[in-house]
Every structure is written in structure tokens, then in C-alpha cells.
Short mmCIF file of all heavy atoms in Angstrom, two decimals:
data_model
loop_
_atom_site.label_atom_id
_atom_site.label_comp_id
_atom_site.label_asym_id
_atom_site.label_seq_id
_atom_site.Cartn_x
_atom_site.Cartn_y
_atom_site.Cartn_z
N MET A 1 -30.32 14.16 17.33
CA MET A 1 -29.86 13.94 15.94
C MET A 1 -28.52 13.22 15.95
O MET A 1 -27.56 13.70 16.50
CB MET A 1 -29.75 15.28 15.22
CG MET A 1 -30.39 15.15 13.87
SD MET A 1 -30.75 16.61 12.95
CE MET A 1 -29.59 17.85 13.40
N SER A 2 -28.46 12.08 15.34
CA SER A 2 -27.21 11.34 15.30
C SER A 2 -26.93 10.90 13.87
O SER A 2 -27.45 9.89 13.40
CB SER A 2 -27.26 10.13 16.22
OG SER A 2 -28.27 9.26 15.80
N SER A 3 -26.15 11.70 13.22
CA SER A 3 -25.76 11.34 11.86
C SER A 3 -24.28 11.01 11.85
O SER A 3 -23.45 11.87 12.04
CB SER A 3 -26.05 12.49 10.89
OG SER A 3 -25.32 13.62 11.26
N THR A 4 -23.99 9.76 11.64
CA THR A 4 -22.60 9.34 11.64
C THR A 4 -22.06 9.32 10.21
O THR A 4 -22.64 8.69 9.33
CB THR A 4 -22.43 7.94 12.26
OG1 THR A 4 -23.40 7.08 11.67
CG2 THR A 4 -22.65 8.00 13.76
N LEU A 5 -20.99 10.03 10.07
CA LEU A 5 -20.35 10.05 8.76
C LEU A 5 -19.48 8.80 8.61
O LEU A 5 -18.58 8.58 9.40
CB LEU A 5 -19.48 11.30 8.60
CG LEU A 5 -20.25 12.60 8.33
CD1 LEU A 5 -19.30 13.77 8.36
CD2 LEU A 5 -20.94 12.54 6.98
N GLU A 6 -19.75 8.03 7.61
CA GLU A 6 -18.93 6.86 7.39
C GLU A 6 -17.58 7.27 6.82
O GLU A 6 -17.51 8.12 5.94
CB GLU A 6 -19.61 5.91 6.40
CG GLU A 6 -20.75 5.14 7.04
CD GLU A 6 -21.30 4.08 6.10
OE1 GLU A 6 -20.52 3.54 5.31
OE2 GLU A 6 -22.51 3.84 6.14
N PRO A 7 -16.53 6.68 7.36
CA PRO A 7 -15.20 7.02 6.84
C PRO A 7 -15.07 6.63 5.38
O PRO A 7 -15.48 5.54 4.99
CB PRO A 7 -14.25 6.20 7.73
CG PRO A 7 -15.09 5.11 8.30
CD PRO A 7 -16.49 5.67 8.41
N GLN A 8 -14.49 7.53 4.63
CA GLN A 8 -14.31 7.27 3.21
C GLN A 8 -13.27 6.18 3.00
O GLN A 8 -12.27 6.13 3.68
CB GLN A 8 -13.85 8.55 2.50
CG GLN A 8 -14.01 8.46 1.00
CD GLN A 8 -14.58 9.76 0.44
OE1 GLN A 8 -14.55 10.78 1.10
NE2 GLN A 8 -15.11 9.72 -0.74
N ALA A 9 -13.56 5.30 2.08
CA ALA A 9 -12.61 4.23 1.80
C ALA A 9 -11.32 4.83 1.25
O ALA A 9 -11.36 5.74 0.43
CB ALA A 9 -13.21 3.27 0.78
N PRO A 10 -10.19 4.33 1.73
CA PRO A 10 -8.91 4.85 1.25
C PRO A 10 -8.72 4.54 -0.22
O PRO A 10 -9.22 3.53 -0.72
CB PRO A 10 -7.88 4.12 2.11
CG PRO A 10 -8.58 2.88 2.60
CD PRO A 10 -10.03 3.26 2.71
N PRO A 11 -8.02 5.41 -0.91
CA PRO A 11 -7.80 5.17 -2.34
C PRO A 11 -6.93 3.94 -2.57
O PRO A 11 -6.02 3.68 -1.81
CB PRO A 11 -7.05 6.43 -2.80
CG PRO A 11 -6.45 7.01 -1.56
CD PRO A 11 -7.36 6.63 -0.43
N VAL A 12 -7.26 3.23 -3.60
CA VAL A 12 -6.50 2.02 -3.93
C VAL A 12 -5.69 2.29 -5.19
O VAL A 12 -6.24 2.65 -6.23
CB VAL A 12 -7.43 0.82 -4.14
CG1 VAL A 12 -6.63 -0.41 -4.53
CG2 VAL A 12 -8.24 0.55 -2.88
N LEU A 13 -4.39 2.11 -5.07
CA LEU A 13 -3.50 2.32 -6.21
C LEU A 13 -3.50 1.07 -7.08
O LEU A 13 -3.30 -0.03 -6.59
CB LEU A 13 -2.09 2.61 -5.70
CG LEU A 13 -1.01 2.83 -6.75
CD1 LEU A 13 -1.19 4.17 -7.44
CD2 LEU A 13 0.37 2.75 -6.13
N VAL A 14 -3.74 1.26 -8.36
CA VAL A 14 -3.75 0.12 -9.27
C VAL A 14 -2.37 -0.01 -9.90
O VAL A 14 -1.84 0.94 -10.47
CB VAL A 14 -4.82 0.30 -10.37
CG1 VAL A 14 -4.78 -0.88 -11.33
CG2 VAL A 14 -6.21 0.42 -9.74
N VAL A 15 -1.81 -1.19 -9.74
CA VAL A 15 -0.45 -1.44 -10.23
C VAL A 15 -0.49 -2.39 -11.41
O VAL A 15 -1.10 -3.47 -11.33
CB VAL A 15 0.41 -2.03 -9.09
CG1 VAL A 15 1.82 -2.35 -9.60
CG2 VAL A 15 0.48 -1.07 -7.92
N GLY A 16 0.15 -1.99 -12.49
CA GLY A 16 0.13 -2.81 -13.69
C GLY A 16 1.38 -3.63 -13.88
O GLY A 16 1.42 -4.54 -14.70
N GLU A 17 2.40 -3.32 -13.09
CA GLU A 17 3.67 -4.02 -13.25
C GLU A 17 3.75 -5.25 -12.35
O GLU A 17 2.92 -5.43 -11.45
CB GLU A 17 4.82 -3.08 -12.92
CG GLU A 17 4.81 -2.66 -11.46
CD GLU A 17 5.73 -1.46 -11.20
OE1 GLU A 17 5.31 -0.33 -11.44
OE2 GLU A 17 6.84 -1.69 -10.75
N GLN A 18 4.75 -6.05 -12.58
CA GLN A 18 4.97 -7.22 -11.74
C GLN A 18 5.47 -6.77 -10.38
O GLN A 18 6.36 -5.94 -10.27
CB GLN A 18 6.03 -8.12 -12.39
CG GLN A 18 6.17 -9.45 -11.68
CD GLN A 18 5.46 -10.56 -12.43
OE1 GLN A 18 5.21 -10.45 -13.61
NE2 GLN A 18 5.15 -11.63 -11.74
N VAL A 19 4.87 -7.30 -9.34
CA VAL A 19 5.24 -6.93 -7.98
C VAL A 19 5.70 -8.17 -7.24
O VAL A 19 5.09 -9.24 -7.36
CB VAL A 19 4.04 -6.30 -7.24
CG1 VAL A 19 4.42 -5.93 -5.83
CG2 VAL A 19 3.54 -5.08 -8.00
N SER A 20 6.78 -8.02 -6.51
CA SER A 20 7.31 -9.17 -5.79
C SER A 20 6.36 -9.58 -4.67
O SER A 20 5.63 -8.77 -4.11
CB SER A 20 8.69 -8.85 -5.22
OG SER A 20 8.58 -8.05 -4.07
N PHE A 21 6.42 -10.84 -4.36
CA PHE A 21 5.55 -11.42 -3.33
C PHE A 21 5.73 -10.71 -2.00
O PHE A 21 4.75 -10.39 -1.32
CB PHE A 21 5.94 -12.90 -3.20
CG PHE A 21 5.02 -13.68 -2.32
CD1 PHE A 21 3.85 -14.22 -2.83
CD2 PHE A 21 5.33 -13.89 -0.98
CE1 PHE A 21 3.01 -14.96 -2.01
CE2 PHE A 21 4.49 -14.63 -0.16
CZ PHE A 21 3.33 -15.17 -0.68
N ALA A 22 6.96 -10.43 -1.65
CA ALA A 22 7.25 -9.81 -0.35
C ALA A 22 6.65 -8.42 -0.25
O ALA A 22 6.10 -8.05 0.78
CB ALA A 22 8.76 -9.75 -0.13
N ARG A 23 6.75 -7.66 -1.31
CA ARG A 23 6.21 -6.31 -1.28
C ARG A 23 4.68 -6.36 -1.26
O ARG A 23 4.03 -5.58 -0.58
CB ARG A 23 6.69 -5.53 -2.51
CG ARG A 23 8.16 -5.17 -2.42
CD ARG A 23 8.66 -4.72 -3.77
NE ARG A 23 8.16 -3.42 -4.15
CZ ARG A 23 8.09 -2.99 -5.42
NH1 ARG A 23 8.48 -3.77 -6.39
NH2 ARG A 23 7.64 -1.79 -5.69
N LEU A 24 4.12 -7.27 -2.01
CA LEU A 24 2.68 -7.39 -2.10
C LEU A 24 2.08 -7.75 -0.74
O LEU A 24 1.02 -7.28 -0.36
CB LEU A 24 2.32 -8.46 -3.14
CG LEU A 24 0.92 -8.42 -3.74
CD1 LEU A 24 0.68 -7.10 -4.46
CD2 LEU A 24 0.75 -9.56 -4.72
N HIS A 25 2.79 -8.56 0.00
CA HIS A 25 2.29 -9.03 1.29
C HIS A 25 2.74 -8.15 2.45
O HIS A 25 2.54 -8.50 3.60
CB HIS A 25 2.73 -10.48 1.52
CG HIS A 25 1.96 -11.46 0.70
ND1 HIS A 25 1.15 -12.43 1.24
CD2 HIS A 25 1.87 -11.60 -0.65
CE1 HIS A 25 0.59 -13.13 0.26
NE2 HIS A 25 1.01 -12.65 -0.89
N GLY A 26 3.39 -7.03 2.13
CA GLY A 26 3.80 -6.12 3.19
C GLY A 26 4.96 -6.63 4.02
O GLY A 26 5.17 -6.20 5.14
N ARG A 27 5.72 -7.56 3.46
CA ARG A 27 6.88 -8.08 4.19
C ARG A 27 8.15 -7.34 3.83
O ARG A 27 9.17 -7.49 4.47
CB ARG A 27 7.06 -9.58 3.90
CG ARG A 27 5.93 -10.40 4.49
CD ARG A 27 6.13 -11.87 4.21
NE ARG A 27 5.06 -12.66 4.83
CZ ARG A 27 5.12 -13.10 6.08
NH1 ARG A 27 6.17 -12.85 6.80
NH2 ARG A 27 4.13 -13.80 6.57
N ALA A 28 8.06 -6.57 2.78
CA ALA A 28 9.19 -5.74 2.39
C ALA A 28 8.69 -4.34 2.05
O ALA A 28 7.54 -4.18 1.66
CB ALA A 28 9.91 -6.35 1.19
N CYS A 29 9.58 -3.36 2.20
CA CYS A 29 9.21 -1.98 1.92
C CYS A 29 8.77 -1.84 0.46
O CYS A 29 9.42 -2.34 -0.45
CB CYS A 29 10.41 -1.07 2.20
SG CYS A 29 10.14 0.64 1.68
N TRP A 30 7.66 -1.17 0.28
CA TRP A 30 7.12 -1.00 -1.07
C TRP A 30 8.04 -0.16 -1.94
O TRP A 30 8.15 -0.37 -3.14
CB TRP A 30 5.74 -0.34 -0.98
CG TRP A 30 5.11 -0.13 -2.31
CD1 TRP A 30 5.03 1.05 -2.99
CD2 TRP A 30 4.49 -1.12 -3.14
NE1 TRP A 30 4.40 0.84 -4.19
CE2 TRP A 30 4.05 -0.47 -4.30
CE3 TRP A 30 4.27 -2.49 -2.98
CZ2 TRP A 30 3.40 -1.16 -5.31
CZ3 TRP A 30 3.62 -3.16 -4.00
CH2 TRP A 30 3.19 -2.50 -5.14
N ASP A 31 8.72 0.80 -1.32
CA ASP A 31 9.52 1.75 -2.09
C ASP A 31 10.94 1.27 -2.36
O ASP A 31 11.45 1.43 -3.45
CB ASP A 31 9.58 3.09 -1.35
CG ASP A 31 8.23 3.79 -1.34
OD1 ASP A 31 7.55 3.77 -2.38
OD2 ASP A 31 7.85 4.33 -0.31
N CYS A 32 11.58 0.66 -1.36
CA CYS A 32 12.99 0.30 -1.55
C CYS A 32 13.23 -1.20 -1.41
O CYS A 32 14.36 -1.65 -1.53
CB CYS A 32 13.86 1.08 -0.56
SG CYS A 32 13.65 0.55 1.14
N ASP A 33 12.16 -1.97 -1.14
CA ASP A 33 12.28 -3.42 -1.07
C ASP A 33 13.05 -3.91 0.14
O ASP A 33 13.44 -5.08 0.21
CB ASP A 33 12.92 -3.97 -2.35
CG ASP A 33 12.19 -5.21 -2.85
OD1 ASP A 33 11.14 -5.55 -2.29
OD2 ASP A 33 12.67 -5.83 -3.80
N ALA A 34 13.28 -3.03 1.10
CA ALA A 34 14.01 -3.44 2.30
C ALA A 34 13.11 -4.28 3.19
O ALA A 34 11.94 -4.00 3.37
CB ALA A 34 14.48 -2.21 3.07
N VAL A 35 13.71 -5.34 3.74
CA VAL A 35 12.96 -6.18 4.67
C VAL A 35 13.30 -5.73 6.08
O VAL A 35 14.43 -5.81 6.52
CB VAL A 35 13.32 -7.66 4.48
CG1 VAL A 35 12.56 -8.51 5.49
CG2 VAL A 35 12.98 -8.10 3.07
N SER A 36 12.31 -5.20 6.75
CA SER A 36 12.52 -4.67 8.08
C SER A 36 11.37 -5.05 8.97
O SER A 36 10.28 -5.37 8.51
CB SER A 36 12.66 -3.14 8.01
OG SER A 36 12.47 -2.57 9.28
N SER A 37 11.60 -5.01 10.26
CA SER A 37 10.52 -5.32 11.20
C SER A 37 9.74 -4.06 11.55
O SER A 37 8.77 -4.11 12.28
CB SER A 37 11.10 -5.94 12.46
OG SER A 37 12.07 -5.08 13.02
N LEU A 38 10.20 -2.94 11.05
CA LEU A 38 9.56 -1.67 11.37
C LEU A 38 8.84 -1.10 10.16
O LEU A 38 8.97 0.08 9.84
CB LEU A 38 10.60 -0.66 11.89
CG LEU A 38 11.24 -1.03 13.22
CD1 LEU A 38 12.38 -0.10 13.54
CD2 LEU A 38 10.21 -1.01 14.34
N LEU A 39 8.11 -1.93 9.49
CA LEU A 39 7.37 -1.47 8.33
C LEU A 39 6.01 -0.95 8.78
O LEU A 39 5.36 -1.54 9.63
CB LEU A 39 7.20 -2.60 7.32
CG LEU A 39 8.51 -3.16 6.76
CD1 LEU A 39 8.21 -4.37 5.89
CD2 LEU A 39 9.25 -2.12 5.96
N THR A 40 5.60 0.15 8.18
CA THR A 40 4.31 0.72 8.53
C THR A 40 3.40 0.72 7.31
O THR A 40 3.86 0.81 6.17
CB THR A 40 4.48 2.17 9.03
OG1 THR A 40 5.16 2.92 8.05
CG2 THR A 40 5.24 2.20 10.33
N ALA A 41 2.12 0.64 7.58
CA ALA A 41 1.14 0.60 6.50
C ALA A 41 1.27 1.85 5.63
O ALA A 41 1.39 2.96 6.13
CB ALA A 41 -0.25 0.49 7.08
N ALA A 42 1.23 1.64 4.33
CA ALA A 42 1.45 2.76 3.42
C ALA A 42 0.35 2.88 2.38
O ALA A 42 0.46 3.64 1.43
CB ALA A 42 2.80 2.61 2.75
N GLY A 43 -0.71 2.15 2.57
CA GLY A 43 -1.80 2.28 1.62
C GLY A 43 -2.23 0.96 1.04
O GLY A 43 -1.80 -0.11 1.47
N LEU A 44 -3.10 1.06 0.08
CA LEU A 44 -3.66 -0.14 -0.53
C LEU A 44 -3.37 -0.14 -2.02
O LEU A 44 -3.39 0.88 -2.68
CB LEU A 44 -5.17 -0.17 -0.31
CG LEU A 44 -5.64 -0.14 1.15
CD1 LEU A 44 -7.13 0.08 1.21
CD2 LEU A 44 -5.26 -1.41 1.86
N ILE A 45 -3.08 -1.32 -2.54
CA ILE A 45 -2.87 -1.45 -3.98
C ILE A 45 -3.69 -2.62 -4.50
O ILE A 45 -4.07 -3.52 -3.76
CB ILE A 45 -1.37 -1.63 -4.34
CG1 ILE A 45 -0.86 -2.99 -3.83
CG2 ILE A 45 -0.53 -0.49 -3.84
CD1 ILE A 45 -0.40 -3.88 -4.96
N ARG A 46 -3.92 -2.55 -5.79
CA ARG A 46 -4.62 -3.65 -6.45
C ARG A 46 -3.92 -3.90 -7.76
O ARG A 46 -3.55 -2.97 -8.47
CB ARG A 46 -6.08 -3.25 -6.68
CG ARG A 46 -6.92 -4.34 -7.31
CD ARG A 46 -8.40 -3.98 -7.26
NE ARG A 46 -8.70 -2.73 -7.97
CZ ARG A 46 -8.84 -2.65 -9.29
NH1 ARG A 46 -8.70 -3.72 -10.04
NH2 ARG A 46 -9.11 -1.50 -9.87
N LEU A 47 -3.69 -5.15 -8.06
CA LEU A 47 -3.04 -5.48 -9.32
C LEU A 47 -4.04 -5.30 -10.45
O LEU A 47 -5.22 -5.63 -10.31
CB LEU A 47 -2.52 -6.91 -9.30
CG LEU A 47 -1.43 -7.20 -8.27
CD1 LEU A 47 -0.99 -8.66 -8.40
CD2 LEU A 47 -0.24 -6.28 -8.48
N GLN A 48 -3.53 -4.77 -11.55
CA GLN A 48 -4.38 -4.54 -12.70
C GLN A 48 -5.02 -5.84 -13.16
O GLN A 48 -4.34 -6.83 -13.39
CB GLN A 48 -3.55 -3.94 -13.84
CG GLN A 48 -4.37 -3.11 -14.80
CD GLN A 48 -3.47 -2.26 -15.68
OE1 GLN A 48 -2.48 -2.73 -16.21
NE2 GLN A 48 -3.82 -1.00 -15.85
N GLY A 49 -6.32 -5.85 -13.23
CA GLY A 49 -7.02 -7.04 -13.66
C GLY A 49 -7.36 -7.98 -12.51
O GLY A 49 -8.03 -8.98 -12.69
N GLY A 50 -6.88 -7.63 -11.31
CA GLY A 50 -7.17 -8.48 -10.16
C GLY A 50 -8.22 -7.85 -9.28
O GLY A 50 -8.50 -6.66 -9.36
N ALA A 51 -8.79 -8.66 -8.43
CA ALA A 51 -9.85 -8.17 -7.55
C ALA A 51 -9.35 -7.99 -6.12
O ALA A 51 -9.93 -7.25 -5.34
CB ALA A 51 -11.02 -9.14 -7.58
N ARG A 52 -8.27 -8.67 -5.80
CA ARG A 52 -7.77 -8.64 -4.44
C ARG A 52 -7.05 -7.32 -4.15
O ARG A 52 -6.27 -6.85 -4.96
CB ARG A 52 -6.78 -9.82 -4.24
CG ARG A 52 -6.05 -9.84 -2.94
CD ARG A 52 -6.92 -10.36 -1.81
NE ARG A 52 -6.25 -10.18 -0.52
CZ ARG A 52 -5.52 -11.12 0.08
NH1 ARG A 52 -5.39 -12.29 -0.47
NH2 ARG A 52 -4.95 -10.89 1.24
N VAL A 53 -7.35 -6.75 -2.98
CA VAL A 53 -6.68 -5.52 -2.55
C VAL A 53 -5.64 -5.88 -1.50
O VAL A 53 -5.93 -6.62 -0.56
CB VAL A 53 -7.69 -4.51 -1.97
CG1 VAL A 53 -6.97 -3.30 -1.40
CG2 VAL A 53 -8.67 -4.08 -3.05
N TRP A 54 -4.44 -5.38 -1.68
CA TRP A 54 -3.33 -5.69 -0.79
C TRP A 54 -2.93 -4.46 0.01
O TRP A 54 -2.94 -3.35 -0.51
CB TRP A 54 -2.12 -6.17 -1.59
CG TRP A 54 -2.41 -7.31 -2.49
CD1 TRP A 54 -2.86 -7.23 -3.78
CD2 TRP A 54 -2.30 -8.71 -2.20
NE1 TRP A 54 -3.02 -8.49 -4.29
CE2 TRP A 54 -2.69 -9.42 -3.35
CE3 TRP A 54 -1.89 -9.42 -1.06
CZ2 TRP A 54 -2.68 -10.81 -3.40
CZ3 TRP A 54 -1.89 -10.80 -1.13
CH2 TRP A 54 -2.28 -11.48 -2.28
N GLU A 55 -2.53 -4.70 1.25
CA GLU A 55 -2.05 -3.61 2.09
C GLU A 55 -0.53 -3.58 2.02
O GLU A 55 0.14 -4.53 2.43
CB GLU A 55 -2.51 -3.83 3.53
CG GLU A 55 -2.24 -2.62 4.40
CD GLU A 55 -2.79 -2.80 5.81
OE1 GLU A 55 -4.01 -3.05 5.92
OE2 GLU A 55 -2.01 -2.69 6.76
N ILE A 56 -0.02 -2.49 1.50
CA ILE A 56 1.42 -2.40 1.35
C ILE A 56 2.04 -1.65 2.53
O ILE A 56 1.36 -0.92 3.24
CB ILE A 56 1.81 -1.71 0.02
CG1 ILE A 56 1.21 -0.31 -0.05
CG2 ILE A 56 1.38 -2.56 -1.16
CD1 ILE A 56 1.77 0.53 -1.17
N ARG A 57 3.36 -1.81 2.68
CA ARG A 57 4.06 -1.16 3.79
C ARG A 57 5.36 -0.56 3.30
O ARG A 57 5.91 -0.97 2.29
CB ARG A 57 4.36 -2.19 4.90
CG ARG A 57 3.10 -2.72 5.56
CD ARG A 57 3.39 -3.94 6.40
NE ARG A 57 2.16 -4.45 7.02
CZ ARG A 57 1.73 -4.05 8.22
NH1 ARG A 57 2.42 -3.17 8.91
NH2 ARG A 57 0.60 -4.54 8.71
N THR A 58 5.83 0.41 4.08
CA THR A 58 7.13 0.99 3.78
C THR A 58 7.94 1.07 5.06
O THR A 58 7.40 1.00 6.16
CB THR A 58 7.02 2.42 3.19
OG1 THR A 58 6.63 3.31 4.23
CG2 THR A 58 6.04 2.49 2.04
N CYS A 59 9.24 1.24 4.88
CA CYS A 59 10.12 1.34 6.05
C CYS A 59 10.27 2.79 6.49
O CYS A 59 10.93 3.08 7.46
CB CYS A 59 11.50 0.75 5.72
SG CYS A 59 12.43 1.70 4.52
N GLY A 60 9.65 3.68 5.76
CA GLY A 60 9.74 5.10 6.12
C GLY A 60 10.78 5.84 5.31
O GLY A 60 11.14 6.97 5.63
N CYS A 61 11.28 5.19 4.27
CA CYS A 61 12.33 5.81 3.47
C CYS A 61 11.78 6.96 2.64
O CYS A 61 12.50 7.84 2.21
CB CYS A 61 12.98 4.77 2.56
SG CYS A 61 11.82 4.00 1.42
N ARG A 62 10.47 6.93 2.44
CA ARG A 62 9.86 7.99 1.65
C ARG A 62 8.68 8.56 2.44
O ARG A 62 7.88 7.80 2.98
CB ARG A 62 9.35 7.40 0.33
CG ARG A 62 9.02 8.47 -0.71
CD ARG A 62 8.49 7.85 -1.97
NE ARG A 62 9.52 7.08 -2.68
CZ ARG A 62 9.30 6.47 -3.84
NH1 ARG A 62 8.11 6.51 -4.39
NH2 ARG A 62 10.25 5.81 -4.44
N PRO A 63 8.59 9.87 2.53
CA PRO A 63 7.47 10.47 3.26
C PRO A 63 6.15 10.09 2.63
O PRO A 63 6.02 9.97 1.41
CB PRO A 63 7.73 11.98 3.16
CG PRO A 63 8.72 12.15 2.08
CD PRO A 63 9.50 10.88 1.99
N LYS A 64 5.17 9.92 3.51
CA LYS A 64 3.86 9.46 3.06
C LYS A 64 3.22 10.46 2.10
O LYS A 64 2.65 10.11 1.09
CB LYS A 64 2.96 9.26 4.27
CG LYS A 64 1.99 8.11 4.11
CD LYS A 64 1.30 7.86 5.44
CE LYS A 64 0.54 6.54 5.40
NZ LYS A 64 -0.10 6.27 6.70
N THR A 65 3.35 11.73 2.46
CA THR A 65 2.76 12.76 1.62
C THR A 65 3.87 13.44 0.82
O THR A 65 4.53 14.36 1.28
CB THR A 65 2.02 13.80 2.46
OG1 THR A 65 2.89 14.25 3.49
CG2 THR A 65 0.77 13.22 3.08
N ALA A 66 4.10 12.92 -0.35
CA ALA A 66 5.15 13.47 -1.19
C ALA A 66 4.60 14.63 -2.03
O ALA A 66 3.91 14.40 -3.01
CB ALA A 66 5.73 12.39 -2.09
N SER A 67 4.88 15.84 -1.58
CA SER A 67 4.36 17.00 -2.29
C SER A 67 5.31 17.41 -3.42
O SER A 67 4.92 18.04 -4.37
CB SER A 67 4.16 18.16 -1.34
OG SER A 67 5.34 18.39 -0.61
N THR A 68 6.57 17.02 -3.26
CA THR A 68 7.55 17.36 -4.28
C THR A 68 8.04 16.10 -4.96
O THR A 68 8.28 15.10 -4.32
CB THR A 68 8.74 18.12 -3.69
OG1 THR A 68 9.26 17.35 -2.62
CG2 THR A 68 8.33 19.49 -3.18
N GLN A 69 8.21 16.16 -6.23
CA GLN A 69 8.68 14.98 -6.97
C GLN A 69 10.12 15.14 -7.35
O GLN A 69 10.49 16.12 -7.95
CB GLN A 69 7.84 14.79 -8.23
CG GLN A 69 6.44 14.32 -7.92
CD GLN A 69 6.38 12.89 -7.40
OE1 GLN A 69 7.28 12.10 -7.69
NE2 GLN A 69 5.40 12.57 -6.61
ZN1 LIG B 101 12.03 1.74 2.19
#
């Protein structure tokens, strides 16, 4: 018996506001806009009304799992 569970697609955050080119392309931190060479993938976003999904990155200034606001 070989039943492979397909990985669930990651949630895509829909953004309605204007986003800078650098942040959209993962060249700057999504949270603080810092340009660093140590940016890590932080999820996927899609602009409201757009079809393209972008991979955003952060410099680590904010924990990935923010349980407290
Ligand atoms: Zn940052």
C-alpha cells in the first residue's frame, strides 16, 4: 500500500495595499524593508486583483509564528 499525501499548498496572503518592488520580489525584508543578503523565505502573497503569487522574504526581525500581537 503506497498512499502518498500531497503536501498542502501554503497559504497565500492577499495584499490590497501598494507594495514596493523590492519587497514584492523578495529583495527587501517584508516587515521592515531592510535590504539584506540574509533574507529568508517568509511566505507567499498575492496582490488583490492579481493572479501572480510572489514569494516574500524577511530579515528575521519578526518571528515567523507570531502568537502574540
Ligand atoms: Zn526585517
Side-chain angles (χ1 to χ4, degrees):
M1 226 166 29
S2 62
S3 61
T4 48
L5 284 173
E6 284 187 33
Q8 196 136 18
V12 178
L13 179 72
V14 178
V15 177
E17 64 195 82
Q18 188 102 21
V19 180
S20 77
F21 188 85
R23 288 166 72 202
L24 201 60
H25 285 244
R27 292 180 178 273
C29 173
W30 180 257
D31 292 318
C32 70
D33 223 7
V35 178
S36 163
S37 56
L38 294 171
L39 298 174
T40 55
L44 302 170
I45 68 118
R46 182 169 60 80
L47 296 181
Q48 206 165 45
R52 173 78 188 265
V53 174
W54 305 88
E55 190 176 304
I56 58 168
R57 294 167 181 271
T58 72
C59 68
C61 60
R62 195 182 292 181
K64 214 171 192 178
T65 51
S67 52
T68 53
Q69 289 290 335

